[in-house]
Structures are given as structure tokens and as C-alpha cells.
Amino acid sequence: MKAHIVGGGFGGLAAAVHLIRNAGVSGEDITIYEANERLGGAFSLGGSAQSGYILPTSSIFDAQFRCTFDLLETIPSATDPALSVKDEFFAFNARHPYHDRAHIIDRSGHIVHGAHFGLSVRDRLDLVRLVLTPEAMLDGRRIEEFFSPHFFSTEFWLLWATTMGSLPQHSAMELRRYMNRFLYLFPDLSDMSHVLRTPLNQYQAFIEPMVVWLRPRGVHFLTSAFVLDMGFAPSPGRITVNRLDCERDGAVTSIAVAPEDLVLVTLGSQADDLSVGSMNEAPRPRRNGQSWALWKRLAQGRTVFGNPDVFFGAARVPDSHWVTFTVTTTGTQFLDRMCALTGSEPGSGGLVTLKDSGWLLSLSIFHQPEIIGQPRGTSIWWGYGLYPERKGDFVPKRMDQCTGAEILEEVLRQLRFDGQLDAIMASSICVPCDLPYANNIWVKRSRTDRPRPVPEGASNLGLIGQYVEVPRDIAFTIEYSARAAWEAIHLLLKRGPPPPPVYQGLYDPKALFAALKVFAGTR
Ligand SMILES: Cc1cc2nc3c(=O)[nH]c(=O)nc-3n(C[C@H](O)[C@H](O)[C@H](O)COP(=O)(O)OP(=O)(O)OC[C@H]3O[C@@H](n4cnc5c(N)ncnc54)[C@H](O)[C@@H]3O)c2cc1C
């Protein structure tokens, strides 16, 4: 049996580890096809200390990433191979827990934090109503249909939206899932004390160690290999892949697939059409849709493959667009001022949201070093704008049209660091990263828009990644991709245990009690 995995992001790599470890497949029988030059998908690391590092994604995890940590328990860490990636992750978080004292800051530099997060009685009842509404009744419904305008002005919503990515026009179904999944975080939303992060950037913390584990086991990695299409055996009612068409170095090769082989396809990427700018150049928008092209082809005339147009395409961009930016600095002024403002040392402060900024900026000051090989005296911090199509307040341009220097200037002026502006600008390189689909897993959807990990009738085809339907779980996470891969492999090969159940706060008495205190307004 051969296994063909389309997509070399976290999900594809997780599938390969799972096949070897849980399903007894030989690494030499596994091939991973990745369209990009490098493995890792959205979890990438680019640039350098000289040109400015590029880290497109954030670092928000929790202890209930059950499939992920099951997998990472097997993988030795990059910095200390005596430890697993999982053990290193938890040890780091125990040593350096988040204690965010200044999650939301207003334009005057004041910390915003009030009683029960500003929720009115009606807001709290509306939240309960949404959580208790069955998912079957939430097809195509938006969050804003369930709440009054007041709810969207509360501290609760601001914390939620900037930590998780939700907007009022997004999916009520996904918010309901989030509420259930993260119910236990409610009381500590503002200090982020149960939120975990990687000891290093996610590429070096997760992706590289997985590749290092897979490579000596004989897994074939084909990078710059784009799977254009696949063929199916002519059998009515059955979906049996018999061919993959792969484009590499300008040539298209057809790969024969036997009925007993396995094909696992990643259906899309939140990092699709990612483009990077520089200190002096805004990112140039890219719109070629490579990561979902195969899904679009598969879905043509076949309803079991769902509806990719719900998540991708020009019409989706306004509801899913983010601009993130990474700042590499050799000065200390920025970090010193931030520590003074927030009362937190680098790495312990979580997110800092500048609530009055037009782009709705959030910043994260990493524990240093964030990157293996980062030179001494160099620090790295990160930020993103939830509304990159709006104009800045000091730089009157859309964020997605700004250079790194313009973004950095807007941040510094928002923070009222005008006195240090020249020094910080001179010692920093800010690299913006345009992500038109970063937030598309939140867009309003129906239950059939995402196909199942094994579509009806499929005998050797599994679908993985963030655009398949995995009941109860939330898609803006690597956990979702790890779970989808495990589920598809389990259903197709029937080897090993099924994935563990998704954590549900509603069935956790401690979480429920703590959340009820927030709802009841006693906290
Ligand atoms: C800004 C941002 C912040 C994030 N923050 C977090 C976070 O804090 N915590 C968290 O858990 N998750 C976070 N995520 C989500 C995380 O990045 C994803 O969960 C993870 O990358 C999903 O892995 P994947 O393999 O399913 O998809 P991806 O990582 O997107 O990889 C999919 C890969 O498949 C390839 N591919 C697709 N089609 C083909 C084809 N036909 N041929 C060949 N290759 C193909 C693509 O090129 C891509 O490399 C964030 C994402 C973004 C964008």
C-alpha cells in the first residue's frame, strides 16, 4: 500500500506521522506533495536578522489540543532531543506562563478592564441562547443576528475577536463551537492565563521536528510539486482514486494509484495567496488560489465535496483579510517602553490590543529568542490588524497598502511613543505580510459546505485540513488539521484507536461553574 499526501503543512505532516505510528505504514511508502518550495504551509519562517524575519502566524494554543499533543509526544524537540515536542511545550509554558496585565489599551494609554467584561444582562442571556441553540439551527446564520449592537462594544467581544478572529458578520455556528471549546477560558480572558504558546516560532517548534522525525523513516518529500487533478475509477456510487496529476518543474506527471493505496488531500490553506512586503514596500496582492484549486476541481458537479466558494475567491476577502507584521529590532527602546506601559516582561504579556486603532491592531512581544540562531541583541515582536482594509489614524491609508515603515509608524503613534519614534524606526525592520484568507474559516457557512474527512462512497480518498467538517471542533487551529487527518486515516484503514473526543466546556463542571460566574455577573 502506498500513501499519497497532498499538502505538506501541519496537517499533511501529522497524517504522515499518524500513518507510520498508528497505522503501521512504512515511511518509504509515503509521499508528501507540497506546492510551495518549503514544507510547513501556514506555519512558515522567512527572512533573516539582516533583512527582517517573517513570521506570518500567531501562537495561541491550549492544553486541550488532544490530537496534536498525542502526536507531538512522539516527536523529539529541536533544541533538546531528550524531550518530546509536547514535553518541551508544556515545560516552557509552566516556566513562562502568560500573565497579561494590559490586554486592551485605549488611545490615551489607559488599560481597559471592567467588571464582567462589560457584558449587560441581555448580552449574557444572548450568549447562553446561542450556546444552547442546536447547530442544526445555525446554518448560514451570522453572529450579529444573535446579539444587540451593545454586545459588540463590550470588552468581552473585543477580547474574543482579537484573540480568536471573529467578526460580527461571521458564522454563528463557529462562535457556538468556540464558546463550548473555550468556555473554561472565560474568567481569564483578559489575562490569558490558560492560553499557551510555542517556546519558539511554530516552524521551528513544530514543523522542523516533525520533518526530522519523518525523513529518516524514508518518507518522500516532493516540494514545488502541485497536484493539479486526480482521476477516478469508473464505478458508479464509489469514489476510488486511480491517478494523480502532479506538476513539477514545468512538467506534468501522472502517478498511478491502486485501489488499495491511500490518497489524503489538504483542501485549502488560510495562508493561500500570502504575500510579503518590506520596510519600503507594501505586499503586492496575489490572487492565484493554488491551495484550493484542487478542491474546486473535485467539487465541480460533486456535492459530497462541499462548496469551496464559501471560503475562497475575491468575494470572501473582505471578511477574511488580515495583515500581520514581524518587527526585528536591534534597539531596546520599543521593548523598554512596552514593558513600562503593560507591566509585563517580553513573553509574559500575551496580546496587547490598541482598541481605538482603525486597523484594530494587536501586538505580541515574544519571549526572546523566538528563532533559533537569532543574534544576541536582536529582539522580535509581532502584530496584526483585524481590519486591514480600513484607514489608519496617523497613516491615512489602508493597512494592506502600507509599507512596513508606515505600519510601524502607525503602531508607535497609536502607543504615543512619539518621543522614541525616530530611534525605534532606525533600529527596526518591519515586514508586513498580506493574508487575504487568514480568517476565512470564520465566514458564515452551512453544515454541508465542508466535506467530511471521508466523503460518502470514497474507498481510498480522505480529505484533511481546515476545510473538512469535523463535528464540534474549531478550525483556526492545528488541532483541527491533526484531528481531520487522524479521523480520515482511522475511517479508511480502520487501524488504531479513533481520535479522542473534542473537549466540550458544557460537560466540564469546573469550567461551567467558572463561566456561570461570568454570566451571572459575580466575577
Ligand atoms: C495568521 C494566522 C495565525 C494562526 N495562528 C494560529 C494559532 O495561534 N494556533 C493554531 O493552532 N493555529 C493557528 N493558525 C492556523 C494554522 O496555521 C493552521 O491550523 C495550520 O497551518 C493548518 O495546517 P494544514 O496543513 O491543514 O494547512 P496549511 O498549513 O495551510 O498547509 C496546507 C498546505 O497544502 C498545500 N497544498 C494545498 N493544495 C495543494 C495541491 N493541490 N498540491 C500541493 N500542495 C497543496 C499548500 O501549499 C499548503 O502548504 C493560524 C493561521 C494564520 C493564517
Side-chain angles (χ1 to χ4, degrees), residues 195-449:
V195 175
L196 310 177
R197 67 281 175 50
T198 42
L200 295 162
N201 66 89
Q202 294 88 49
Y203 183 78
Q204 292 176 322
F206 290 158
I207 301 295
E208 275 189 348
M210 286 163 92
V211 175
V212 166
W213 190 86
L214 290 167
R215 212 179 275 286
R217 287 169 172 78
V219 173
H220 305 279
F221 293 103
L222 292 187
T223 50
S224 303
F226 174 47
V227 177
L228 297 165
D229 202 0
M230 59 178 66
F232 296 101
S235 56
R238 299 288 288 163
I239 298 174
T240 305
V241 183
N242 65 6
R243 193 193 79 240
L244 291 182
D245 297 334
C246 179
E247 186 181 54
R248 202 172 184 221
D249 298 329
V252 178
T253 316
S254 282
I255 300 131
V257 176
E260 66 276 14
D261 291 346
L262 192 67
V263 176
L264 298 170
V265 178
T266 312
L267 287 187
S269 175
Q270 280 179 277
D272 194 77
D273 285 341
L274 172 156
S275 60
V276 173
S278 68
M279 194 66 171
N280 303 313
E281 226 187 323
R284 291 194 197 152
R286 275 201 329 156
R287 299 287 183 264
N288 73 9
Q290 186 169 257
S291 80
W292 58 289
L294 181 58
W295 183 15
K296 198 162 168 67
R297 248 185 137 81
L298 291 172
Q300 257 161 27
R302 300 186 190 97
T303 51
V304 289
F305 284 99
N307 190 358
D309 294 332
V310 166
F311 304 96
F312 290 99
R316 294 297 149 256
V317 176
D319 290 338
S320 74
H321 201 171
W322 280 19
V323 170
T324 68
F325 54 96
T326 313
V327 182
T328 307
T329 179
T330 49
T332 56
Q333 296 93 336
F334 180 80
L335 265 60
D336 291 346
R337 285 291 318 256
M338 280 305 279
C339 289
L341 179 69
T342 62
S344 295
E345 289 301 308
S348 68
L351 282 174
V352 177
T353 293
L354 309 179
K355 84 177 252 298
D356 296 321
S357 57
W359 301 337
L360 196 47
L361 288 159
S362 293
L363 315 176
S364 176
I365 316 298
F366 299 127
H367 181 267
Q368 309 291 329
E370 169 69 2
I371 293 172
I372 298 173
Q374 179 181 326
R376 250 174 201 285
T378 299
S379 304
I380 300 169
W381 56 278
W382 183 90
Y384 87 99
L386 194 55
Y387 289 106
E389 297 180 0
R390 292 187 182 165
K391 285 197 172 155
D393 303 287
F394 298 93
V395 176
K397 283 168 81 172
R398 288 166 54 127
M399 187 182 185
D400 59 341
Q401 295 173 356
C402 283
T403 64
E406 288 167 332
I407 290 174
L408 184 55
E409 181 183 344
E410 175 77 19
V411 172
L412 298 176
R413 293 204 187 280
Q414 288 283 349
L415 286 164
R416 300 283 185 251
F417 290 178
D418 301 71
Q420 292 73 32
L421 191 133
D422 290 341
I424 296 172
M425 296 287 285
S427 57
S428 305
I429 307 169
C430 173
V431 183
C433 185
D434 190 65
L435 289 150
Y437 299 110
N439 222 2
N440 72 350
I441 54 85
W442 267 109
V443 297
K444 148 179 106 77
R445 62 166 194 271
S446 298
R447 279 165 302 153
T448 51
D449 289 332

Side-chain angles (χ1 to χ4, degrees), residues 15-16 31 49 63 70 167 177 225 284 317 352 406 427 431 457 461 464 479 488:
T31 304
D70 177 275
L167 298 177
R177 288 189 181 197
R284 291 194 197 152
V317 176
V352 177
E406 288 167 332
S427 57
V431 183
L461 174 64
I464 60 174
E479 172 67 3

Side-chain angles (χ1 to χ4, degrees), residues 7 9-11 34-35 41-42 58 60-61 225 227 269-270 466 476-478 481:
F10 187 89
E34 170 50 58
S58 50
I60 305 262
F61 307 92
V227 177
S269 175
Q270 280 179 277
Q466 299 171 282
F476 207 132
T477 60
I478 50 169
S481 295

